[in-house]
Amino acid sequence: NHTLGVFVDVMVSAMNEAWHQCAAAGRNALEQFFQTTCFGAWQRLGTRLLSDPELVNRSTLIEKFADTLSELISAPYCWSQQQRRILQELQERCDMGLLTGSHNAKRRKVTEVEEGWSKGRLETALEQRTVHFVVVLEGV
């Protein structure tokens, strides 16, 4: 869908401009913009792309979105650790969709994605996300 591709380009451009030219607004204002408005837009777009059967089969759109997510993850924007992890998970879902889709996609991170979804990574992720709950339950 051409409109979604244009949205991705416009959003990245607006974020770059805000990050580089609006520093005078202060760190709190930038964090508010990036962690609420921008993150929410990327999360909703990712959910829409990956859940709509018509869109998920458009490999060029999914590949563009995955590449954009990669750029966002490595950008100096003030994402929280949880937001970076969610963006990375969206990117991995895009990559997995490209690998398992009906088309013959060429992704540069195929081995990283295959390794990323390994049993060890899953166990590590679950452990990291449940440590807090274990500590709380043991303290009761």
PDB file of all heavy atoms in Angstrom, residues 64-92:
ATOM      1  N   LYS A  64      10.186  -2.887   4.039  1.00  0.00           N
ATOM      2  CA  LYS A  64      10.453  -1.466   4.320  1.00  0.00           C
ATOM      3  C   LYS A  64      10.189  -1.168   5.793  1.00  0.00           C
ATOM      4  O   LYS A  64      10.967  -0.479   6.445  1.00  0.00           O
ATOM      5  CB  LYS A  64       9.574  -0.569   3.440  1.00  0.00           C
ATOM      6  CG  LYS A  64       9.753   0.913   3.709  1.00  0.00           C
ATOM      7  CD  LYS A  64       8.848   1.735   2.804  1.00  0.00           C
ATOM      8  CE  LYS A  64       8.970   3.207   3.042  1.00  0.00           C
ATOM      9  NZ  LYS A  64      10.232   3.793   2.643  1.00  0.00           N
ATOM     10  N   PHE A  65       9.108  -1.699   6.316  1.00  0.00           N
ATOM     11  CA  PHE A  65       8.777  -1.474   7.718  1.00  0.00           C
ATOM     12  C   PHE A  65       9.835  -2.100   8.629  1.00  0.00           C
ATOM     13  O   PHE A  65      10.266  -1.491   9.605  1.00  0.00           O
ATOM     14  CB  PHE A  65       7.382  -2.034   8.032  1.00  0.00           C
ATOM     15  CG  PHE A  65       6.900  -1.700   9.408  1.00  0.00           C
ATOM     16  CD1 PHE A  65       6.626  -0.380   9.768  1.00  0.00           C
ATOM     17  CD2 PHE A  65       6.708  -2.690  10.353  1.00  0.00           C
ATOM     18  CE1 PHE A  65       6.181  -0.062  11.045  1.00  0.00           C
ATOM     19  CE2 PHE A  65       6.260  -2.388  11.629  1.00  0.00           C
ATOM     20  CZ  PHE A  65       6.001  -1.072  11.975  1.00  0.00           C
ATOM     21  N   ALA A  66      10.279  -3.315   8.316  1.00  0.00           N
ATOM     22  CA  ALA A  66      11.314  -3.983   9.116  1.00  0.00           C
ATOM     23  C   ALA A  66      12.614  -3.182   9.088  1.00  0.00           C
ATOM     24  O   ALA A  66      13.282  -3.020  10.122  1.00  0.00           O
ATOM     25  CB  ALA A  66      11.546  -5.407   8.612  1.00  0.00           C
ATOM     26  N   ASP A  67      12.983  -2.679   7.926  1.00  0.00           N
ATOM     27  CA  ASP A  67      14.201  -1.867   7.816  1.00  0.00           C
ATOM     28  C   ASP A  67      14.070  -0.576   8.616  1.00  0.00           C
ATOM     29  O   ASP A  67      15.016  -0.140   9.282  1.00  0.00           O
ATOM     30  CB  ASP A  67      14.510  -1.542   6.352  1.00  0.00           C
ATOM     31  CG  ASP A  67      14.972  -2.767   5.571  1.00  0.00           C
ATOM     32  OD1 ASP A  67      15.389  -3.761   6.198  1.00  0.00           O
ATOM     33  OD2 ASP A  67      14.914  -2.723   4.320  1.00  0.00           O
ATOM     34  N   THR A  68      12.897   0.032   8.567  1.00  0.00           N
ATOM     35  CA  THR A  68      12.653   1.261   9.330  1.00  0.00           C
ATOM     36  C   THR A  68      12.727   0.978  10.822  1.00  0.00           C
ATOM     37  O   THR A  68      13.318   1.749  11.581  1.00  0.00           O
ATOM     38  CB  THR A  68      11.287   1.865   8.961  1.00  0.00           C
ATOM     39  OG1 THR A  68      11.269   2.145   7.559  1.00  0.00           O
ATOM     40  CG2 THR A  68      11.020   3.141   9.733  1.00  0.00           C
ATOM     41  N   LEU A  69      12.147  -0.131  11.257  1.00  0.00           N
ATOM     42  CA  LEU A  69      12.222  -0.493  12.674  1.00  0.00           C
ATOM     43  C   LEU A  69      13.669  -0.683  13.114  1.00  0.00           C
ATOM     44  O   LEU A  69      14.060  -0.257  14.197  1.00  0.00           O
ATOM     45  CB  LEU A  69      11.418  -1.767  12.942  1.00  0.00           C
ATOM     46  CG  LEU A  69       9.903  -1.615  12.918  1.00  0.00           C
ATOM     47  CD1 LEU A  69       9.226  -2.983  12.982  1.00  0.00           C
ATOM     48  CD2 LEU A  69       9.410  -0.721  14.034  1.00  0.00           C
ATOM     49  N   SER A  70      14.466  -1.287  12.252  1.00  0.00           N
ATOM     50  CA  SER A  70      15.883  -1.471  12.563  1.00  0.00           C
ATOM     51  C   SER A  70      16.568  -0.125  12.779  1.00  0.00           C
ATOM     52  O   SER A  70      17.363   0.043  13.715  1.00  0.00           O
ATOM     53  CB  SER A  70      16.564  -2.243  11.428  1.00  0.00           C
ATOM     54  OG  SER A  70      17.922  -2.415  11.692  1.00  0.00           O
ATOM     55  N   GLU A  71      16.258   0.831  11.922  1.00  0.00           N
ATOM     56  CA  GLU A  71      16.818   2.179  12.064  1.00  0.00           C
ATOM     57  C   GLU A  71      16.339   2.838  13.359  1.00  0.00           C
ATOM     58  O   GLU A  71      17.117   3.490  14.054  1.00  0.00           O
ATOM     59  CB  GLU A  71      16.422   3.048  10.869  1.00  0.00           C
ATOM     60  CG  GLU A  71      17.055   2.626   9.566  1.00  0.00           C
ATOM     61  CD  GLU A  71      16.491   3.384   8.371  1.00  0.00           C
ATOM     62  OE1 GLU A  71      15.913   4.479   8.562  1.00  0.00           O
ATOM     63  OE2 GLU A  71      16.621   2.874   7.248  1.00  0.00           O
ATOM     64  N   LEU A  72      15.060   2.679  13.676  1.00  0.00           N
ATOM     65  CA  LEU A  72      14.505   3.285  14.888  1.00  0.00           C
ATOM     66  C   LEU A  72      15.135   2.703  16.147  1.00  0.00           C
ATOM     67  O   LEU A  72      15.399   3.417  17.110  1.00  0.00           O
ATOM     68  CB  LEU A  72      12.984   3.084  14.942  1.00  0.00           C
ATOM     69  CG  LEU A  72      12.158   3.806  13.890  1.00  0.00           C
ATOM     70  CD1 LEU A  72      10.696   3.404  13.995  1.00  0.00           C
ATOM     71  CD2 LEU A  72      12.313   5.309  14.006  1.00  0.00           C
ATOM     72  N   ILE A  73      15.374   1.404  16.135  1.00  0.00           N
ATOM     73  CA  ILE A  73      15.959   0.737  17.295  1.00  0.00           C
ATOM     74  C   ILE A  73      17.375   1.262  17.555  1.00  0.00           C
ATOM     75  O   ILE A  73      17.755   1.493  18.697  1.00  0.00           O
ATOM     76  CB  ILE A  73      15.967  -0.795  17.086  1.00  0.00           C
ATOM     77  CG1 ILE A  73      14.530  -1.321  17.087  1.00  0.00           C
ATOM     78  CG2 ILE A  73      16.816  -1.497  18.144  1.00  0.00           C
ATOM     79  CD1 ILE A  73      14.370  -2.714  16.503  1.00  0.00           C
ATOM     80  N   SER A  74      18.129   1.469  16.496  1.00  0.00           N
ATOM     81  CA  SER A  74      19.516   1.909  16.667  1.00  0.00           C
ATOM     82  C   SER A  74      19.659   3.430  16.752  1.00  0.00           C
ATOM     83  O   SER A  74      20.737   3.925  17.061  1.00  0.00           O
ATOM     84  CB  SER A  74      20.382   1.363  15.534  1.00  0.00           C
ATOM     85  OG  SER A  74      19.947   1.873  14.298  1.00  0.00           O
ATOM     86  N   ALA A  75      18.587   4.157  16.504  1.00  0.00           N
ATOM     87  CA  ALA A  75      18.633   5.624  16.569  1.00  0.00           C
ATOM     88  C   ALA A  75      18.792   6.089  18.016  1.00  0.00           C
ATOM     89  O   ALA A  75      18.429   5.371  18.946  1.00  0.00           O
ATOM     90  CB  ALA A  75      17.361   6.220  15.968  1.00  0.00           C
ATOM     91  N   PRO A  76      19.297   7.294  18.216  1.00  0.00           N
ATOM     92  CA  PRO A  76      19.522   7.785  19.587  1.00  0.00           C
ATOM     93  C   PRO A  76      18.255   8.286  20.285  1.00  0.00           C
ATOM     94  O   PRO A  76      18.337   8.878  21.349  1.00  0.00           O
ATOM     95  CB  PRO A  76      20.499   8.945  19.364  1.00  0.00           C
ATOM     96  CG  PRO A  76      20.146   9.469  18.011  1.00  0.00           C
ATOM     97  CD  PRO A  76      19.766   8.246  17.215  1.00  0.00           C
ATOM     98  N   TYR A  77      17.093   8.039  19.695  1.00  0.00           N
ATOM     99  CA  TYR A  77      15.852   8.533  20.284  1.00  0.00           C
ATOM    100  C   TYR A  77      15.693   8.020  21.707  1.00  0.00           C
ATOM    101  O   TYR A  77      16.192   6.969  22.066  1.00  0.00           O
ATOM    102  CB  TYR A  77      14.640   8.100  19.459  1.00  0.00           C
ATOM    103  CG  TYR A  77      14.691   8.517  18.017  1.00  0.00           C
ATOM    104  CD1 TYR A  77      14.267   7.653  17.023  1.00  0.00           C
ATOM    105  CD2 TYR A  77      15.168   9.763  17.630  1.00  0.00           C
ATOM    106  CE1 TYR A  77      14.299   8.029  15.684  1.00  0.00           C
ATOM    107  CE2 TYR A  77      15.213  10.140  16.304  1.00  0.00           C
ATOM    108  CZ  TYR A  77      14.779   9.269  15.337  1.00  0.00           C
ATOM    109  OH  TYR A  77      14.819   9.629  14.025  1.00  0.00           O
ATOM    110  N   CYS A  78      14.922   8.729  22.496  1.00  0.00           N
ATOM    111  CA  CYS A  78      14.783   8.415  23.921  1.00  0.00           C
ATOM    112  C   CYS A  78      13.686   7.376  24.172  1.00  0.00           C
ATOM    113  O   CYS A  78      12.759   7.603  24.926  1.00  0.00           O
ATOM    114  CB  CYS A  78      14.518   9.697  24.720  1.00  0.00           C
ATOM    115  SG  CYS A  78      13.266  10.768  24.001  1.00  0.00           S
ATOM    116  N   TRP A  79      13.810   6.214  23.518  1.00  0.00           N
ATOM    117  CA  TRP A  79      12.900   5.108  23.793  1.00  0.00           C
ATOM    118  C   TRP A  79      13.257   4.524  25.148  1.00  0.00           C
ATOM    119  O   TRP A  79      14.413   4.510  25.549  1.00  0.00           O
ATOM    120  CB  TRP A  79      13.040   3.986  22.770  1.00  0.00           C
ATOM    121  CG  TRP A  79      12.914   4.321  21.324  1.00  0.00           C
ATOM    122  CD1 TRP A  79      13.858   4.148  20.364  1.00  0.00           C
ATOM    123  CD2 TRP A  79      11.778   4.864  20.632  1.00  0.00           C
ATOM    124  NE1 TRP A  79      13.388   4.544  19.141  1.00  0.00           N
ATOM    125  CE2 TRP A  79      12.117   4.992  19.275  1.00  0.00           C
ATOM    126  CE3 TRP A  79      10.509   5.258  21.055  1.00  0.00           C
ATOM    127  CZ2 TRP A  79      11.229   5.485  18.327  1.00  0.00           C
ATOM    128  CZ3 TRP A  79       9.633   5.756  20.104  1.00  0.00           C
ATOM    129  CH2 TRP A  79       9.986   5.863  18.761  1.00  0.00           C
ATOM    130  N   SER A  80      12.277   3.983  25.829  1.00  0.00           N
ATOM    131  CA  SER A  80      12.576   3.231  27.051  1.00  0.00           C
ATOM    132  C   SER A  80      13.109   1.862  26.621  1.00  0.00           C
ATOM    133  O   SER A  80      12.973   1.464  25.457  1.00  0.00           O
ATOM    134  CB  SER A  80      11.308   3.063  27.894  1.00  0.00           C
ATOM    135  OG  SER A  80      10.396   2.206  27.242  1.00  0.00           O
ATOM    136  N   GLN A  81      13.692   1.121  27.546  1.00  0.00           N
ATOM    137  CA  GLN A  81      14.195  -0.224  27.228  1.00  0.00           C
ATOM    138  C   GLN A  81      13.056  -1.115  26.759  1.00  0.00           C
ATOM    139  O   GLN A  81      13.206  -1.891  25.815  1.00  0.00           O
ATOM    140  CB  GLN A  81      14.877  -0.846  28.440  1.00  0.00           C
ATOM    141  CG  GLN A  81      16.219  -0.243  28.744  1.00  0.00           C
ATOM    142  CD  GLN A  81      16.884  -0.917  29.941  1.00  0.00           C
ATOM    143  OE1 GLN A  81      16.235  -1.625  30.718  1.00  0.00           O
ATOM    144  NE2 GLN A  81      18.170  -0.695  30.083  1.00  0.00           N
ATOM    145  N   GLN A  82      11.917  -1.004  27.403  1.00  0.00           N
ATOM    146  CA  GLN A  82      10.763  -1.808  27.025  1.00  0.00           C
ATOM    147  C   GLN A  82      10.297  -1.457  25.609  1.00  0.00           C
ATOM    148  O   GLN A  82       9.956  -2.333  24.820  1.00  0.00           O
ATOM    149  CB  GLN A  82       9.627  -1.609  28.017  1.00  0.00           C
ATOM    150  CG  GLN A  82       8.405  -2.436  27.686  1.00  0.00           C
ATOM    151  CD  GLN A  82       7.256  -2.201  28.643  1.00  0.00           C
ATOM    152  OE1 GLN A  82       7.280  -1.278  29.447  1.00  0.00           O
ATOM    153  NE2 GLN A  82       6.245  -3.035  28.573  1.00  0.00           N
ATOM    154  N   GLN A  83      10.289  -0.162  25.270  1.00  0.00           N
ATOM    155  CA  GLN A  83       9.866   0.246  23.931  1.00  0.00           C
ATOM    156  C   GLN A  83      10.840  -0.260  22.870  1.00  0.00           C
ATOM    157  O   GLN A  83      10.422  -0.724  21.812  1.00  0.00           O
ATOM    158  CB  GLN A  83       9.722   1.761  23.863  1.00  0.00           C
ATOM    159  CG  GLN A  83       8.510   2.264  24.617  1.00  0.00           C
ATOM    160  CD  GLN A  83       8.446   3.771  24.680  1.00  0.00           C
ATOM    161  OE1 GLN A  83       9.464   4.455  24.783  1.00  0.00           O
ATOM    162  NE2 GLN A  83       7.235   4.290  24.625  1.00  0.00           N
ATOM    163  N   ARG A  84      12.147  -0.180  23.149  1.00  0.00           N
ATOM    164  CA  ARG A  84      13.128  -0.726  22.193  1.00  0.00           C
ATOM    165  C   ARG A  84      12.902  -2.221  22.000  1.00  0.00           C
ATOM    166  O   ARG A  84      12.984  -2.737  20.890  1.00  0.00           O
ATOM    167  CB  ARG A  84      14.555  -0.476  22.663  1.00  0.00           C
ATOM    168  CG  ARG A  84      15.026   0.932  22.419  1.00  0.00           C
ATOM    169  CD  ARG A  84      16.520   1.090  22.696  1.00  0.00           C
ATOM    170  NE  ARG A  84      16.856   2.486  22.806  1.00  0.00           N
ATOM    171  CZ  ARG A  84      17.056   3.311  21.782  1.00  0.00           C
ATOM    172  NH1 ARG A  84      16.987   2.857  20.557  1.00  0.00           N
ATOM    173  NH2 ARG A  84      17.341   4.572  21.981  1.00  0.00           N
ATOM    174  N   ARG A  85      12.614  -2.926  23.083  1.00  0.00           N
ATOM    175  CA  ARG A  85      12.374  -4.363  22.993  1.00  0.00           C
ATOM    176  C   ARG A  85      11.122  -4.637  22.157  1.00  0.00           C
ATOM    177  O   ARG A  85      11.100  -5.539  21.330  1.00  0.00           O
ATOM    178  CB  ARG A  85      12.234  -4.963  24.391  1.00  0.00           C
ATOM    179  CG  ARG A  85      12.113  -6.476  24.389  1.00  0.00           C
ATOM    180  CD  ARG A  85      12.153  -7.122  25.764  1.00  0.00           C
ATOM    181  NE  ARG A  85      11.338  -6.471  26.765  1.00  0.00           N
ATOM    182  CZ  ARG A  85      11.820  -5.839  27.843  1.00  0.00           C
ATOM    183  NH1 ARG A  85      13.106  -5.768  28.054  1.00  0.00           N
ATOM    184  NH2 ARG A  85      10.998  -5.286  28.704  1.00  0.00           N
ATOM    185  N   ILE A  86      10.078  -3.868  22.351  1.00  0.00           N
ATOM    186  CA  ILE A  86       8.847  -4.054  21.577  1.00  0.00           C
ATOM    187  C   ILE A  86       9.087  -3.769  20.099  1.00  0.00           C
ATOM    188  O   ILE A  86       8.624  -4.515  19.230  1.00  0.00           O
ATOM    189  CB  ILE A  86       7.706  -3.180  22.143  1.00  0.00           C
ATOM    190  CG1 ILE A  86       7.273  -3.729  23.510  1.00  0.00           C
ATOM    191  CG2 ILE A  86       6.522  -3.113  21.178  1.00  0.00           C
ATOM    192  CD1 ILE A  86       6.351  -2.806  24.280  1.00  0.00           C
ATOM    193  N   LEU A  87       9.834  -2.715  19.799  1.00  0.00           N
ATOM    194  CA  LEU A  87      10.165  -2.409  18.404  1.00  0.00           C
ATOM    195  C   LEU A  87      10.980  -3.547  17.793  1.00  0.00           C
ATOM    196  O   LEU A  87      10.770  -3.927  16.636  1.00  0.00           O
ATOM    197  CB  LEU A  87      10.924  -1.087  18.299  1.00  0.00           C
ATOM    198  CG  LEU A  87      10.134   0.174  18.636  1.00  0.00           C
ATOM    199  CD1 LEU A  87      11.051   1.392  18.671  1.00  0.00           C
ATOM    200  CD2 LEU A  87       8.985   0.393  17.652  1.00  0.00           C
ATOM    201  N   GLN A  88      11.907  -4.092  18.572  1.00  0.00           N
ATOM    202  CA  GLN A  88      12.719  -5.204  18.080  1.00  0.00           C
ATOM    203  C   GLN A  88      11.853  -6.435  17.837  1.00  0.00           C
ATOM    204  O   GLN A  88      12.028  -7.139  16.841  1.00  0.00           O
ATOM    205  CB  GLN A  88      13.825  -5.520  19.078  1.00  0.00           C
ATOM    206  CG  GLN A  88      14.837  -6.519  18.555  1.00  0.00           C
ATOM    207  CD  GLN A  88      16.043  -6.640  19.465  1.00  0.00           C
ATOM    208  OE1 GLN A  88      15.996  -6.271  20.633  1.00  0.00           O
ATOM    209  NE2 GLN A  88      17.116  -7.160  18.921  1.00  0.00           N
ATOM    210  N   GLU A  89      10.912  -6.695  18.715  1.00  0.00           N
ATOM    211  CA  GLU A  89      10.006  -7.827  18.525  1.00  0.00           C
ATOM    212  C   GLU A  89       9.139  -7.642  17.283  1.00  0.00           C
ATOM    213  O   GLU A  89       8.890  -8.594  16.539  1.00  0.00           O
ATOM    214  CB  GLU A  89       9.155  -8.042  19.769  1.00  0.00           C
ATOM    215  CG  GLU A  89       9.946  -8.587  20.935  1.00  0.00           C
ATOM    216  CD  GLU A  89       9.168  -8.599  22.247  1.00  0.00           C
ATOM    217  OE1 GLU A  89       8.001  -8.165  22.273  1.00  0.00           O
ATOM    218  OE2 GLU A  89       9.753  -9.033  23.261  1.00  0.00           O
ATOM    219  N   LEU A  90       8.685  -6.411  17.042  1.00  0.00           N
ATOM    220  CA  LEU A  90       7.927  -6.137  15.814  1.00  0.00           C
ATOM    221  C   LEU A  90       8.787  -6.407  14.590  1.00  0.00           C
ATOM    222  O   LEU A  90       8.333  -6.992  13.606  1.00  0.00           O
ATOM    223  CB  LEU A  90       7.441  -4.683  15.795  1.00  0.00           C
ATOM    224  CG  LEU A  90       6.173  -4.355  16.554  1.00  0.00           C
ATOM    225  CD1 LEU A  90       5.942  -2.847  16.566  1.00  0.00           C
ATOM    226  CD2 LEU A  90       4.974  -5.073  15.944  1.00  0.00           C
ATOM    227  N   GLN A  91      10.044  -5.973  14.643  1.00  0.00           N
ATOM    228  CA  GLN A  91      10.951  -6.201  13.521  1.00  0.00           C
ATOM    229  C   GLN A  91      11.158  -7.698  13.290  1.00  0.00           C
ATOM    230  O   GLN A  91      11.125  -8.163  12.153  1.00  0.00           O
ATOM    231  CB  GLN A  91      12.300  -5.526  13.764  1.00  0.00           C
ATOM    232  CG  GLN A  91      13.254  -5.741  12.602  1.00  0.00           C
ATOM    233  CD  GLN A  91      14.689  -5.463  12.948  1.00  0.00           C
ATOM    234  OE1 GLN A  91      15.064  -5.420  14.109  1.00  0.00           O
ATOM    235  NE2 GLN A  91      15.494  -5.272  11.930  1.00  0.00           N
ATOM    236  N   GLU A  92      11.330  -8.441  14.356  1.00  0.00           N
ATOM    237  CA  GLU A  92      11.519  -9.883  14.233  1.00  0.00           C
ATOM    238  C   GLU A  92      10.270 -10.548  13.657  1.00  0.00           C
ATOM    239  O   GLU A  92      10.370 -11.476  12.849  1.00  0.00           O
ATOM    240  CB  GLU A  92      11.884 -10.493  15.584  1.00  0.00           C
ATOM    241  CG  GLU A  92      13.282 -10.101  16.027  1.00  0.00           C
ATOM    242  CD  GLU A  92      13.598 -10.497  17.462  1.00  0.00           C
ATOM    243  OE1 GLU A  92      12.682 -10.979  18.183  1.00  0.00           O
ATOM    244  OE2 GLU A  92      14.760 -10.330  17.857  1.00  0.00           O
TER     245      GLU A  92
END
